[in-house]
């Protein structure tokens, strides 16, 4: 499994080329890196099938480089580039708010080569003397260094998914494996996972242990008769345990967790006269086994409805199961279309037609285009002048495809909470996504007022990536979320659940609190490329973790109902 490695090397090359001011090439490397990082399957498999060049953003040239990484684990071109520059880009890049451009300035002006140099320079108050860096930047970077040093290593769900698929596929090839299931935080659909937990049913545990511990490119951390752990090249740890069929359900229940849910469930079992462990549900008095083959059986014997893994966070799910008040969670199949997509009209990589046709192939019933409008630090935003041409092309695309095409923009919420397009002009569009992109360092009171002002005074349909968090990189904006949710509800603004693998914004927990305040949601793919339309199941995870049903998510409604709900 070399997806992570390939993506990392390509990304690092992009950074170096950017530092060297090479035009265009960095974007090409970055695009290919993103494609490979979020691939649902093993890049080696695609290579074996000779299909590397079919991946979006991968041409002959890049395919050769990817081949070299797959075959040797390294890339000569990258090693040469690294020697050319004297800066530890990989390390400095880990610091939030630092990108290749800033790193370059710091190197040229202050000779900063690594995080240690950076910290020293900040302590000596040297950064504030450089144009574009102030006292505030020093503070921000110092916080970033702290975060970098203490950051727990968690993996994005999307990058773990490729590993999960691969292990499942591999294990299913063998007759001595009766079942293989993923448990832990991954099974609960969490946006990041600490490690992966597998459960296997087999009557030949030794064979399973041998198979697992010889998994390619991995290091064996522990090998037992029914339990082993390995570490992959990218540092991801995988635990695997073999159980027999009779205890499979109770073991799965235990390993899906989370821990707090398990603790509560055991307490609940005790009250009912049972003892629950990973080995089964037992009658407390006679120590007799009563259930454990399936999870369903365990919950049922306890007098509870089956609880979906995404709900098992000990936030009231056991009580709801007891009272038969669990939500009927939305599923991937319920999602009829997608909002918030970009094309070449702003910073996307595909044309409107290509995106719409791809969505149609995915059996979507609608797609909403929301190219960036306004100045927001991207190269090619829509302007009032270009808006007409954009809308004309959307009309043309609508005539060529069989799914509904909504017109719209993603407009930046300015510092004062105004939008750079008048309410009248916005009303001419089907779907208005408003989001914050710039001036992100405001205090909670100002930031909350900024967002609420936009929702109250403009015909906004969707609040895009409401918290603006980036997983493993930065926390969300300073916002009083309850106040934002309340304002969204009052103004009939849908809250986005953004599907980008490193956003997943809102989170499941936030969806749940917004739902309790009566809010409604949309799933937005924020696709900048056809293939990114396939990210929507990641948002479905958040929606499920947020207890939502079909009625709560606009993407699941009928087209006439959607159109009505979008009228402003
Ligand atoms: P992660 O890996 O940090 O993303 O989170 P999990 O939930 O996958 O946690 P992990 O891998 O440490 O353990 C997997 C499951 O095993 C966990 O969700 C619940 C169960 N488990 C682990 N430790 C305990 C424990 O001390 N008590 C109980 N009742 N269950 C536990
Ligand atoms: Ca885990
Ligand atoms: Ca674990």
């Amino acid at each position: 499994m070399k997806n992570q490695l390939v993506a990392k090397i390509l990304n690092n090359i992009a950074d170096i080329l950017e530092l060297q001011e090479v035009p265009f090439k960095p974007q090409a490397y970055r695009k290919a890196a993103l494609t490979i990082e979020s691939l649902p399957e093993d890049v080696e498999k695609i290579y074996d099938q000779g299909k590397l060049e079919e991946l979006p953003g991968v041409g002959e040239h890049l395919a050769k480089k990817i081949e070299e990484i797959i075959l040797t684990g390294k890339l000569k071109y990258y090693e040469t580039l690294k020697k050319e520059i004297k800066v530890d880009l990989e390390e400095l890049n880990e610091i939030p708010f630092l990108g290749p451009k800033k790193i370059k300035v710091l190197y040229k002006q202050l000779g900063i080569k690594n995080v240690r140099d950076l910290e020293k320079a900040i302590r000596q108050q040297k950064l504030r003397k450089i144009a574009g860096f102030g006292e505030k930047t020093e503070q921000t970077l110092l916080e970033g260094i702290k975060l970098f040093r203490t950051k727990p290593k968690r993996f994005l769900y999307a990058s773990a998914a490729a590993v999960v698929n691969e292990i499942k596929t591999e294990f299913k090839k063998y007759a001595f494996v009766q079942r293989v299931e993923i448990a832990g935080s991954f099974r609960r659909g969490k946006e990041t996972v600490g490690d992966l937990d597998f459960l296997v049913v087999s009557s030949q545990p030794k064979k399973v242990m041998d198979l697992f511990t010889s998994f390619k490119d991995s290091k064996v951390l522990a090998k037992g008769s029914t339990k082993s752990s390995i570490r992959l090249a990218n540092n991801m740890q995988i635990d695997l345990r073999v159980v027999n069929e009779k205890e499979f359900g109770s073991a799965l229940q235990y390993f899906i967790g989370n821990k707090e849910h398990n603790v509560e469930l055991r307490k609940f079992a005790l009250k009912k006269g049972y003892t629950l462990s990973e080995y089964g549900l037992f009658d407390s008095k006679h120590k007799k086994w009563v259930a454990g083959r399936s999870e369903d059986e365990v919950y049922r014997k306890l007098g509870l409805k089956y609880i979906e893994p995404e709900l098992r966070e000990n936030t009231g799910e056991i009580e709801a199961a007891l009272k038969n008040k669990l939500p009927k969670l939305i599923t991937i199949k319920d999602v009829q279309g997608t909002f918030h997509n970009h094309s070449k009209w702003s910073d996307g990589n595909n044309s409107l037609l290509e995106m719409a046709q791809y969505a149609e192939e995915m059996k979507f019933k609608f797609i909403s285009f929301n190219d960036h409008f306004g100045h927001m630090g991207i190269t090619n935003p829509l302007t009032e002048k270009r808006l007409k041409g954009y809308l004309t092309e959307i009309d043309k695309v609508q005539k060529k495809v069989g799914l509904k095409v909504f017109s719209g923009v993603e407009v930046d919420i300015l510092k004062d909470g105004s939008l750079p397009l008048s309410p009248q002009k916005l009303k001419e569009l089907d779907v208005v996504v408003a989001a914050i992109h710039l001036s992100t360092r405001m205090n909670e009171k100002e930031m909350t007022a900024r967002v609420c002002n936009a929702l109250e005074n403009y015909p906004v349909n969707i609040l895009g990536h409401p918290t603006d968090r980036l997983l493993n990189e930065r926390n969300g904006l300073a916002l009083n979320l309850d106040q934002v949710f309340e304002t969204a509800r009052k103004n009939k603004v849908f809250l986005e659940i953004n599907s980008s693998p490193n956003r997943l914004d809102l989170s499941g927990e936030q969806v749940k609190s917004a739902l309790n305040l009566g809010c409604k949601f949309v799933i937005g793919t924020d696709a900048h490329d056809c293939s990114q339309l396939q990210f929507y199941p990641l948002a479905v995870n958040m929606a499920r973790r947020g207890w939502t049903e079909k009625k709560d998510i606009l993407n699941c409604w009928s087209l006439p109902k959607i159109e009505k709900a979008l009228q402003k």
Side-chain angles (χ1 to χ4, degrees), residues 28 60 72 156 170 225 245 392 474-475 496 498 539 541 559:
E60 194 191 332
T72 68
L156 295 187
E170 176 69 13
S225 54
E245 236 166 281
T392 311
R474 64 170 186 240
N475 297 326
E496 182 180 45
N498 187 292
N541 282 344
L559 267 176

Side-chain angles (χ1 to χ4, degrees), residues 283-343:
D283 180 315
S284 296
K285 224 190 226 161
H286 309 100
K287 309 259 179 289
K288 206 174 133 258
W289 181 95
V290 290
R293 277 181 201 283
S294 72
E295 285 201 293
D296 199 43
E297 188 184 73
V298 172
Y299 283 105
R300 205 154 14 95
K301 261 276 175 312
L302 288 170
L304 298 171
K305 289 276 169 196
Y306 174 74
I307 302 174
E308 302 275 2
E310 291 91 335
L311 300 180
R312 301 183 198 169
E313 299 285 342
N314 194 29
T315 55
E317 70 276 11
I318 294 175
E319 202 191 338
L322 185 64
K323 293 183 181 154
N324 198 9
K325 284 197 169 144
L326 286 170
K328 190 169 184 303
L329 296 182
I330 82 150
T331 66
I332 292 172
K333 274 196 231 134
D334 295 327
V335 178
Q336 305 287 326
T338 163
F339 293 96
H340 188 170
N341 295 292
H342 301 270
S343 75

Side-chain angles (χ1 to χ4, degrees), residues 429-442:
L429 306 165
D430 297 326
V431 182
V432 174
V433 178
I436 285 189
H437 298 98
L438 294 175
S439 307
T440 51
R441 293 180 66 76
M442 272 183 170

